[in-house]
Amino acid sequence: AQKVTQTQTSISVVEKTTVTMDCVYETRDSSYFLFWYKQTASGEIVFLIRQDSYKKENATVGHYSLNFQKPKSSIGLIITATQIEDSAVYFCAMRDYNQGKLIFGQGTKLSIKP
Amino acid sequence: NAGVIQTPRHKVTGKGQEATLWCEPISGHSAVFWYRQTIVQGLEFLTYFRNQAPIDDSGMPKERFSAQMPNQSHSTLKIQSTQPQDSAVYLCASSLDLGGAGDTQYFGPGTRLLVL
């Protein structure tokens, strides 16, 4: 069965530093897709970045990047030069190739301090 | 470009009443998904449609919950005889296609349902 686990409940860092959020997943499929979303204080869920399992290169979008370690079933999110507005809850999610539904982790609350 | 639209944003119902939640996907998106978010269970998949056809309802409670997609521009989630445990944020998402580069799901703002 599919499962996504985020063990970090909350993280607090100082503005302009780099933060890494962990995520591990379980799947029997050889092809799958991994996503990171953030949920703002207003409740809005925003797509950030994705990694397709067959791609070896780590995805990068703006100041978000991924650390994809396929043998470890791990997909970490790295945010560089953090800003106050990065404060949010971050969700890791996966989708098997032949399924439509996303399976979400429990979320990690990120607080950025000035 | 308009994102996924959900109405109402907030709904309060009495126990035993019916609740209908509406979703308008992003124009041109062929897949529509429903999720539910609670503090205890987190984000849970309910059901999804592709080209208006129901594809997977494995997350839907067996009783009282139903979903439809009568046309490509809207989907509804109906909860009959609402119970306090149905209180949650119901989220709709849409995507261009399944598989490949076009399948990222984009979420609406959600409908916060409170059953008293």
Side-chain angles (χ1 to χ4, degrees):
Chain A
Q2 300 165 289
K3 187 177 180 181
V4 177
T5 303
Q6 296 176 253
T7 56
Q8 299 157 306
T9 304
S10 63
I11 300 174
S12 181
V13 300
V14 176
E15 189 181 14
K16 299 180 185 177
T17 60
T18 295
V19 65
T20 298
M21 282 175 270
D22 301 329
C23 174
V24 293
Y25 56 90
E26 296 176 25
T27 179
R28 294 179 182 174
D29 274 21
S30 57
S31 291
Y32 48 88
F33 306 95
L34 301 163
F35 304 85
W36 280 90
Y37 290 85
K38 83 174 193 182
Q39 186 168 34
T40 64
S42 66
E44 182 186 14
I45 296 178
V46 179
F47 165 70
L48 298 176
I49 191 170
R50 63 180 280 172
Q51 180 81 37
D52 299 346
S53 63
Y54 53 86
K55 293 185 178 179
K56 294 185 178 179
E57 203 169 298
N58 288 326
T60 297
V61 175
H63 74 146
Y64 303 107
S65 61
L66 297 177
N67 179 17
F68 180 40
Q69 299 184 60
K70 195 170 182 179
K72 295 184 178 181
S73 296
S74 171
I75 183 74
L77 174 68
I78 303 165
I79 308 176
T80 57
T82 52
Q83 304 164 10
I84 300 294
E85 51 266 35
D86 291 325
S87 297
V89 178
Y90 288 78
F91 290 97
C92 176
M94 71 169 294
R95 179 176 81 74
D96 281 345
Y97 186 83
N98 290 316
Q99 293 195 14
K101 63 184 177 185
L102 289 172
I103 304 298
F104 285 88
Q106 302 91 323
T108 296
K109 183 176 182 180
L110 177 64
S111 300
I112 308 297
K113 299 182 293 185
Chain B
N1 287 332
V4 175
I5 298 171
Q6 290 189 251
T7 55
R9 295 292 307 276
H10 302 271
K11 187 171 182 66
V12 180
T13 66
K15 181 178 174 182
Q17 293 184 329
E18 182 177 287
T20 299
L21 312 180
W22 296 72
C23 170
E24 181 179 331
I26 294 171
S27 178
H29 280 193
S30 58
V32 172
F33 305 81
W34 285 95
Y35 295 85
R36 176 168 66 178
Q37 186 176 27
T38 62
I39 298 294
V40 174
Q41 298 294 332
L43 278 156
E44 302 177 283
F45 166 78
L46 294 176
T47 187
Y48 89 88
F49 299 84
R50 186 181 185 188
N51 295 321
Q52 299 172 234
I55 302 297
D56 180 359
D57 67 354
S58 60
M60 289 279 271
K62 298 305 178 190
E63 298 179 351
R64 303 185 295 105
F65 282 65
S66 62
Q68 292 184 323
M69 190 161 185
N71 57 59
Q72 64 185 8
S73 63
H74 91 271
S75 175
T76 58
L77 180 68
K78 184 180 293 185
I79 309 171
Q80 295 178 312
S81 185
T82 54
Q83 302 298 309
Q85 61 265 30
D86 299 331
S87 297
V89 177
Y90 290 84
L91 294 149
C92 178
S94 70
S95 71
L96 271 171
D97 200 349
L98 292 181
D103 71 345
T104 296
Q105 294 178 28
Y106 297 90
F107 284 79
T111 294
R112 185 175 295 274
L113 176 67
L114 177 61
V115 182
L116 301 175

Coordinates of all heavy atoms in Angstrom, one line a residue, chain B residues 52-91:
Chain B
Q52 N -15.4 13.7 -17.1 CA -16.7 13.6 -16.5 C -17.1 12.2 -16.0 O -18.1 12.0 -15.3 CB -17.8 14.1 -17.4 CG -17.6 15.5 -17.8 CD -18.6 15.9 -18.9 OE1 -18.3 16.4 -20.0 NE2 -19.9 15.7 -18.7
A53 N -16.3 11.2 -16.3 CA -16.6 9.8 -15.9 C -16.0 9.5 -14.6 O -14.8 9.9 -14.3 CB -16.1 8.8 -16.9
P54 N -16.8 8.9 -13.6 CA -16.2 8.5 -12.4 C -15.1 7.4 -12.6 O -15.4 6.4 -13.2 CB -17.4 8.0 -11.6 CG -18.4 7.6 -12.6 CD -18.2 8.5 -13.8
I55 N -14.0 7.6 -12.0 CA -12.9 6.7 -12.2 C -12.5 5.9 -10.9 O -12.3 4.7 -10.9 CB -11.6 7.4 -12.7 CG1 -11.9 8.1 -14.0 CG2 -10.5 6.4 -12.8 CD1 -12.3 7.3 -15.1
D56 N -12.5 6.6 -9.8 CA -12.1 6.0 -8.5 C -12.8 6.7 -7.4 O -12.7 7.9 -7.2 CB -10.6 6.2 -8.3 CG -10.0 5.6 -7.1 OD1 -10.8 5.0 -6.3 OD2 -8.8 5.7 -6.9
D57 N -13.6 5.9 -6.7 CA -14.3 6.5 -5.5 C -13.9 5.7 -4.3 O -14.7 5.6 -3.3 CB -15.8 6.5 -5.7 CG -16.4 5.1 -5.8 OD1 -15.6 4.1 -5.8 OD2 -17.6 4.9 -5.8
S58 N -12.7 5.2 -4.3 CA -12.3 4.3 -3.2 C -12.2 5.0 -1.8 O -12.2 4.4 -0.8 CB -10.9 3.7 -3.5 OG -9.9 4.7 -3.7
G59 N -12.1 6.4 -1.8 CA -12.0 7.1 -0.6 C -13.4 7.6 0.0 O -13.4 8.1 1.1
M60 N -14.4 7.4 -0.8 CA -15.7 7.9 -0.4 C -16.3 7.0 0.7 O -16.4 5.8 0.5 CB -16.7 7.9 -1.6 CG -16.3 8.9 -2.6 SD -16.9 10.6 -2.2 CE -18.5 10.5 -2.9
P61 N -16.8 7.6 1.8 CA -17.6 6.8 2.7 C -18.8 6.1 2.0 O -19.3 6.7 1.0 CB -18.1 7.8 3.7 CG -17.1 9.0 3.6 CD -16.7 9.0 2.2
K62 N -19.1 4.9 2.3 CA -20.0 4.1 1.6 C -21.4 4.6 1.7 O -22.2 4.4 0.8 CB -20.0 2.6 2.1 CG -18.6 1.9 1.9 CD -18.2 2.0 0.5 CE -16.8 1.3 0.3 NZ -16.2 1.6 -1.0
E63 N -21.7 5.2 2.7 CA -23.1 5.8 2.9 C -23.1 7.3 3.0 O -22.1 7.9 3.4 CB -23.7 5.2 4.2 CG -23.8 3.7 4.2 CD -24.4 3.2 5.5 OE1 -24.6 4.0 6.4 OE2 -24.7 2.0 5.5
R64 N -24.1 7.8 2.5 CA -24.4 9.3 2.6 C -23.6 10.2 1.6 O -24.0 11.3 1.4 CB -24.3 9.8 4.0 CG -25.1 9.0 5.0 CD -25.0 9.6 6.4 NE -23.7 9.5 7.0 CZ -22.8 10.5 7.1 NH1 -23.2 11.7 6.7 NH2 -21.6 10.3 7.7
F65 N -22.5 9.7 1.1 CA -21.7 10.6 0.3 C -21.9 10.2 -1.2 O -21.8 9.0 -1.5 CB -20.2 10.4 0.6 CG -19.8 11.2 1.8 CD1 -20.3 10.9 3.1 CD2 -18.9 12.2 1.7 CE1 -19.9 11.6 4.2 CE2 -18.5 12.9 2.9 CZ -18.9 12.6 4.1
S66 N -22.0 11.2 -2.1 CA -22.1 10.9 -3.5 C -21.4 12.1 -4.2 O -21.4 13.2 -3.7 CB -23.5 10.7 -4.0 OG -24.3 11.8 -3.7
A67 N -20.9 11.8 -5.4 CA -20.3 12.9 -6.2 C -20.8 12.7 -7.6 O -21.0 11.6 -8.1 CB -18.8 12.8 -6.1
Q68 N -20.9 13.8 -8.3 CA -21.3 13.8 -9.7 C -20.5 14.8 -10.5 O -20.0 15.8 -9.9 CB -22.8 14.1 -9.9 CG -23.7 13.1 -9.3 CD -25.2 13.4 -9.5 OE1 -25.6 14.6 -9.5 NE2 -25.9 12.4 -9.8
M69 N -20.4 14.6 -11.8 CA -19.8 15.6 -12.7 C -20.7 15.7 -13.9 O -20.4 15.0 -14.9 CB -18.4 15.3 -13.0 CG -17.7 16.5 -13.7 SD -15.9 16.4 -13.6 CE -15.5 18.0 -14.4
P70 N -21.8 16.4 -13.9 CA -22.7 16.5 -15.0 C -22.2 17.1 -16.3 O -22.7 16.8 -17.3 CB -23.9 17.3 -14.4 CG -23.3 18.1 -13.3 CD -22.2 17.3 -12.7
N71 N -21.2 18.0 -16.1 CA -20.6 18.6 -17.3 C -19.2 18.9 -17.0 O -18.7 18.8 -15.9 CB -21.4 19.8 -17.8 CG -21.5 20.9 -16.8 OD1 -20.5 21.4 -16.3 ND2 -22.8 21.2 -16.4
Q72 N -18.4 19.3 -18.0 CA -17.0 19.5 -17.8 C -16.6 20.7 -17.0 O -15.5 20.9 -16.6 CB -16.3 19.6 -19.2 CG -16.7 20.9 -20.0 CD -16.1 20.8 -21.4 OE1 -15.4 19.9 -21.8 NE2 -16.2 21.9 -22.1
S73 N -17.6 21.6 -16.7 CA -17.3 22.8 -15.9 C -17.7 22.7 -14.5 O -17.5 23.7 -13.7 CB -18.0 24.0 -16.6 OG -19.4 23.8 -16.6
H74 N -18.4 21.7 -14.0 CA -18.6 21.6 -12.6 C -18.8 20.2 -12.1 O -19.3 19.3 -12.8 CB -19.7 22.6 -12.1 CG -21.1 22.0 -12.1 ND1 -21.9 22.0 -13.2 CD2 -21.8 21.4 -11.1 CE1 -23.1 21.5 -12.9 NE2 -23.0 21.1 -11.6
S75 N -18.5 20.0 -10.8 CA -18.7 18.8 -10.1 C -19.3 19.1 -8.7 O -19.1 20.2 -8.2 CB -17.3 18.1 -9.9 OG -17.5 16.9 -9.1
T76 N -20.1 18.2 -8.2 CA -20.7 18.4 -6.9 C -20.4 17.2 -6.0 O -20.3 16.1 -6.5 CB -22.3 18.5 -7.0 OG1 -22.8 17.4 -7.7 CG2 -22.6 19.8 -7.8
L77 N -20.3 17.5 -4.8 CA -20.2 16.5 -3.7 C -21.4 16.7 -2.8 O -21.6 17.8 -2.2 CB -18.9 16.7 -2.9 CG -18.6 15.7 -1.8 CD1 -18.4 14.3 -2.4 CD2 -17.4 16.1 -1.0
K78 N -22.2 15.6 -2.6 CA -23.3 15.7 -1.8 C -23.2 14.8 -0.6 O -22.8 13.7 -0.7 CB -24.6 15.3 -2.6 CG -25.9 15.5 -1.9 CD -27.1 15.1 -2.7 CE -27.3 16.0 -3.9 NZ -28.5 15.7 -4.7
I79 N -23.6 15.4 0.5 CA -23.6 14.6 1.8 C -25.0 14.6 2.3 O -25.5 15.7 2.6 CB -22.6 15.2 2.8 CG1 -21.2 15.4 2.2 CG2 -22.5 14.2 4.0 CD1 -20.2 16.2 3.1
Q80 N -25.6 13.4 2.4 CA -26.9 13.3 2.9 C -26.9 13.0 4.4 O -25.9 12.4 4.9 CB -27.7 12.2 2.2 CG -27.9 12.5 0.7 CD -28.6 11.4 0.0 OE1 -28.3 10.2 0.2 NE2 -29.7 11.7 -0.7
S81 N -27.9 13.5 5.1 CA -28.0 13.3 6.6 C -26.6 13.5 7.3 O -26.0 12.6 7.9 CB -28.4 11.8 6.8 OG -28.6 11.6 8.2
T82 N -26.2 14.8 7.2 CA -24.8 15.1 7.7 C -24.7 14.8 9.2 O -25.7 14.9 9.9 CB -24.5 16.6 7.5 OG1 -25.6 17.4 8.0 CG2 -24.3 16.9 6.0
Q83 N -23.5 14.4 9.5 CA -23.2 14.0 10.9 C -22.1 14.9 11.4 O -21.3 15.4 10.6 CB -22.8 12.6 11.0 CG -23.9 11.6 10.6 CD -25.2 11.7 11.4 OE1 -25.1 11.6 12.6 NE2 -26.3 11.8 10.7
P84 N -21.9 15.1 12.7 CA -20.8 16.0 13.2 C -19.4 15.5 12.7 O -18.6 16.4 12.4 CB -20.9 15.9 14.7 CG -22.4 15.6 14.9 CD -22.8 14.8 13.8
Q85 N -19.3 14.3 12.5 CA -17.9 13.8 12.0 C -17.7 14.1 10.6 O -16.6 13.9 10.1 CB -17.8 12.2 12.3 CG -18.8 11.4 11.5 CD -20.0 11.1 12.4 OE1 -20.4 11.8 13.3 NE2 -20.6 9.9 12.1
D86 N -18.7 14.6 9.9 CA -18.5 15.1 8.5 C -17.8 16.4 8.4 O -17.4 16.9 7.4 CB -19.8 15.1 7.7 CG -20.5 13.7 7.6 OD1 -19.7 12.7 7.6 OD2 -21.7 13.7 7.6
S87 N -17.8 17.1 9.6 CA -17.2 18.4 9.6 C -15.7 18.4 9.2 O -14.9 17.6 9.7 CB -17.2 19.0 11.0 OG -18.6 19.2 11.4
A88 N -15.4 19.2 8.2 CA -14.0 19.1 7.6 C -13.9 20.2 6.5 O -14.9 20.9 6.3 CB -13.8 17.7 6.9
V89 N -12.7 20.3 6.0 CA -12.6 21.2 4.8 C -12.6 20.2 3.6 O -11.8 19.3 3.5 CB -11.3 22.0 4.8 CG1 -11.1 22.8 3.5 CG2 -11.3 23.0 6.0
Y90 N -13.5 20.5 2.7 CA -13.6 19.7 1.5 C -12.9 20.4 0.3 O -13.2 21.6 0.0 CB -15.0 19.4 1.2 CG -15.6 18.4 2.2 CD1 -16.1 18.9 3.4 CD2 -15.6 17.0 2.0 CE1 -16.6 18.0 4.4 CE2 -16.1 16.1 2.9 CZ -16.6 16.6 4.1 OH -17.0 15.7 5.0
L91 N -11.9 19.8 -0.3 CA -11.1 20.4 -1.3 C -11.3 19.8 -2.6 O -11.4 18.5 -2.7 CB -9.6 20.3 -0.9 CG -9.2 21.1 0.4 CD1 -8.1 20.4 1.1 CD2 -8.8 22.5 0.0

